[in-house]
PDB file of all heavy atoms in Angstrom:
ATOM      1  N   ASP A 195       2.141  -2.157  -0.490  1.00  0.00           N
ATOM      2  CA  ASP A 195       3.499  -1.675  -0.649  1.00  0.00           C
ATOM      3  C   ASP A 195       4.337  -2.329   0.459  1.00  0.00           C
ATOM      4  O   ASP A 195       3.791  -2.744   1.483  1.00  0.00           O
ATOM      5  CB  ASP A 195       3.462  -0.149  -0.500  1.00  0.00           C
ATOM      6  CG  ASP A 195       4.819   0.484  -0.405  1.00  0.00           C
ATOM      7  OD1 ASP A 195       5.653   0.197  -1.283  1.00  0.00           O
ATOM      8  OD2 ASP A 195       5.062   1.252   0.556  1.00  0.00           O
ATOM      9  N   ASP A 197       7.962  -1.167   1.648  1.00  0.00           N
ATOM     10  CA  ASP A 197       8.758  -0.268   2.478  1.00  0.00           C
ATOM     11  C   ASP A 197       7.919   0.798   3.176  1.00  0.00           C
ATOM     12  O   ASP A 197       7.271   1.615   2.528  1.00  0.00           O
ATOM     13  CB  ASP A 197       9.849   0.397   1.640  1.00  0.00           C
ATOM     14  CG  ASP A 197      10.838  -0.634   1.106  1.00  0.00           C
ATOM     15  OD1 ASP A 197      11.144  -1.578   1.856  1.00  0.00           O
ATOM     16  OD2 ASP A 197      11.269  -0.497  -0.047  1.00  0.00           O
ATOM     17  N   THR A 199       5.260   0.527   4.651  1.00  0.00           N
ATOM     18  CA  THR A 199       3.830   0.212   4.743  1.00  0.00           C
ATOM     19  C   THR A 199       3.686  -1.092   5.524  1.00  0.00           C
ATOM     20  O   THR A 199       2.959  -1.165   6.506  1.00  0.00           O
ATOM     21  CB  THR A 199       3.203   0.055   3.350  1.00  0.00           C
ATOM     22  OG1 THR A 199       3.324   1.295   2.649  1.00  0.00           O
ATOM     23  CG2 THR A 199       1.731  -0.324   3.441  1.00  0.00           C
ATOM     24  N   ASP A 279       2.105   3.872   1.650  1.00  0.00           N
ATOM     25  CA  ASP A 279       2.384   5.038   2.500  1.00  0.00           C
ATOM     26  C   ASP A 279       2.757   6.286   1.713  1.00  0.00           C
ATOM     27  O   ASP A 279       3.033   7.316   2.292  1.00  0.00           O
ATOM     28  CB  ASP A 279       3.521   4.696   3.483  1.00  0.00           C
ATOM     29  CG  ASP A 279       4.846   4.538   2.775  1.00  0.00           C
ATOM     30  OD1 ASP A 279       4.941   3.690   1.862  1.00  0.00           O
ATOM     31  OD2 ASP A 279       5.790   5.278   3.104  1.00  0.00           O
ATOM     32  N   GLN A 280       2.754   6.179   0.382  1.00  0.00           N
ATOM     33  CA  GLN A 280       3.128   7.357  -0.399  1.00  0.00           C
ATOM     34  C   GLN A 280       2.059   7.755  -1.427  1.00  0.00           C
ATOM     35  O   GLN A 280       1.586   6.914  -2.188  1.00  0.00           O
ATOM     36  CB  GLN A 280       4.414   7.079  -1.171  1.00  0.00           C
ATOM     37  CG  GLN A 280       5.667   7.185  -0.348  1.00  0.00           C
ATOM     38  CD  GLN A 280       6.869   7.226  -1.276  1.00  0.00           C
ATOM     39  OE1 GLN A 280       7.199   8.258  -1.829  1.00  0.00           O
ATOM     40  NE2 GLN A 280       7.479   6.093  -1.471  1.00  0.00           N
ATOM     41  N   ASP A 284       2.353   5.151  -4.587  1.00  0.00           N
ATOM     42  CA  ASP A 284       1.293   4.161  -4.375  1.00  0.00           C
ATOM     43  C   ASP A 284      -0.090   4.659  -4.802  1.00  0.00           C
ATOM     44  O   ASP A 284      -0.780   3.998  -5.586  1.00  0.00           O
ATOM     45  CB  ASP A 284       1.244   3.761  -2.891  1.00  0.00           C
ATOM     46  CG  ASP A 284       2.597   3.313  -2.373  1.00  0.00           C
ATOM     47  OD1 ASP A 284       3.220   2.462  -3.041  1.00  0.00           O
ATOM     48  OD2 ASP A 284       3.041   3.817  -1.334  1.00  0.00           O
TER      49      ASP A 284
HETATM   50 MG1   MG B 524       6.530   2.776   0.813  1.00  0.00          MG
END
Side-chain angles (χ1 to χ4, degrees):
D195 170 52
D197 296 322
T199 298
D279 69 303
Q280 281 194 81
D284 307 310

